[in-house]
Amino acid sequence: QVQLVESGGGLVQAGGSLRLSCAASGRTLSAYAMGWFRQAPGKERMFVGCISTYSGRTDYADSVNGRFTISRDNAKNTVYLQMNSLKPEDTAVYYCAASSTGCLTRQSSNSYSYSYWGQGTQVTVSS
């Protein structure tokens, strides 16, 4: 079992930055690819990006590519989502998730590929 806890959400003005953290307990995160998803009110949960286990290779949704960066510190059992140049449309609850099937695969953008999920953290971007 892996327990994931997100933090770092909040209210920010458009153009600003936030860094989300996802801390794991129970098992080491190094065995998992990690993904970030987001869900806006009334919309389905959407893939934001993912990072592979050891190589650190990443993949991003087109909507955030070039603005968001995912990184991981396996020694701290933590994954990060650095969000820059935020837009009002980035407003959502952000979730981190752990996958045994990897990042940069055909399934890595699908939520069903992820076995463990955090409770989410709210990000609100004002215009």
Side-chain angles (χ1 to χ4, degrees), residues 16-69:
S17 298
L18 279 176
R19 188 178 81 156
L20 306 184
S21 298
C22 173
S25 61
R27 293 188 66 179
T28 177
L29 270 187
S30 60
Y32 297 93
M34 297 298 296
W36 285 93
F37 288 76
R38 66 186 183 186
Q39 187 166 20
K43 296 187 177 181
E44 63 183 26
R45 191 170 297 188
M46 300 296 292
F47 174 75
V48 173
C50 62
I51 186 167
S52 57
T53 48
Y54 295 104
S55 69
R57 293 179 66 193
T58 53
D59 187 30
Y60 299 96
D62 289 344
S63 58
V64 306
N65 196 22
R67 300 188 297 122
F68 290 12
T69 303

Side-chain angles (χ1 to χ4, degrees), residues 53-120:
T53 48
Y54 295 104
S55 69
R57 293 179 66 193
T58 53
D59 187 30
Y60 299 96
D62 289 344
S63 58
V64 306
N65 196 22
R67 300 188 297 122
F68 290 12
T69 303
I70 299 173
S71 61
R72 66 191 302 161
D73 187 337
N74 288 336
K76 294 184 177 179
N77 236 21
T78 302
V79 176
Y80 305 96
L81 177 65
Q82 177 67 45
M83 304 184 294
N84 299 328
S85 302
L86 283 161
K87 305 175 181 180
E89 51 264 44
D90 294 319
T91 295
V93 177
Y94 283 72
Y95 300 89
C96 67
S99 170
S100 300
T101 60
C103 179
L104 292 155
T105 68
R106 287 185 179 181
Q107 300 81 22
S108 56
S109 62
N110 291 312
S111 58
Y112 63 73
S113 295
Y114 296 81
S115 304
Y116 303 102
W117 291 83
Q119 82 292 346

